[in-house]
Amino acid sequence: EIVLTQSPGTLSLSPGDRATLSCRASQSVTNDYLAWYQQKPGQPPRLLIDDASTRASGVPDRFSGSGSGTDFTLTISRLEPEDFAVYYCHQCSHSPLTFGQGTRLEI
Amino acid sequence: EVQLVESGGGLVQPGGSLKLSCATSGFTFSSYWMTWVRQAPGQGLEWVANIKQDGSEKNYADSVKGRFTISRDNAKNSLHLEMNSLRAEDTALYYCARSSGWTSDHWGQGTLVTVSS
């Protein structure tokens, strides 16, 4: 099983700041099948990034994904108030599929 | 518009059974992998199972293998999760998701399963 470790656990920033979230895999994620999700309270997760760096439909371009192999990063270039949420990485290359434990982005 | 609506959750005693369903619309159901993901109260996301377009391939998390069965009815555009030998640690909000490849790109609102005596 691929274990995904996200850091930091909590990130405290302000609107307008740049956010950098990390996801490290215990073994290589084949074909960079790594996704990022945003989840707000009382809502299901929303797909932001697919295949490590492809923005999902309707996702603002302030969100970007990078990385390959075992190290991946989600960057939010300039935080908007609606970006404060929990973010999960998710590897979709090997069964069982796994999620990271999440990074809480707070004001 | 892609829509996924889960149903079938509720309160069940330890050792009991429950069958979840997910009604879908707005896309060609038979063309997509489908997935169940759960989230225990206040906790993170846990992938549970997925199923190939024609039902010929199914994958399960170790935590549910042998107890849960995923299935689909392409004629009725519906996904199911049969859960047996339920445990307290199965208590969670269960999400149904459409998957492109294995990446879940659209999610339902979830149905709550509570395992308690």
Side-chain angles (χ1 to χ4, degrees), chain A residues 84-101:
Chain A
F84 292 91
V86 180
Y87 292 83
Y88 295 94
C89 58
H90 176 46
Q91 69 83 15
C92 308
S93 67
H94 292 90
S95 181
L97 281 63
T98 49
F99 287 89
Q101 82 279 17

Side-chain angles (χ1 to χ4, degrees), chain A residues 17-75:
Chain A
D17 287 348
R18 179 185 185 90
T20 303
L21 286 68
S22 174
C23 177
R24 177 162 291 178
S26 60
Q27 56 187 277
S28 184
V29 177
T30 305
N31 295 322
D32 297 335
Y33 288 153
L34 191 287
W36 288 94
Y37 295 89
Q38 175 193 67
Q39 188 178 33
K40 297 180 180 179
Q43 296 184 19
R46 171 196 181 196
L47 178 66
L48 297 175
I49 301 288
D50 192 4
D51 296 342
S53 60
T54 303
R55 264 191 306 277
S57 176
V59 175
D61 60 7
R62 64 180 181 274
F63 291 91
S64 63
S66 62
S68 66
T70 61
D71 288 292
F72 299 89
T73 301
L74 175 70
T75 302

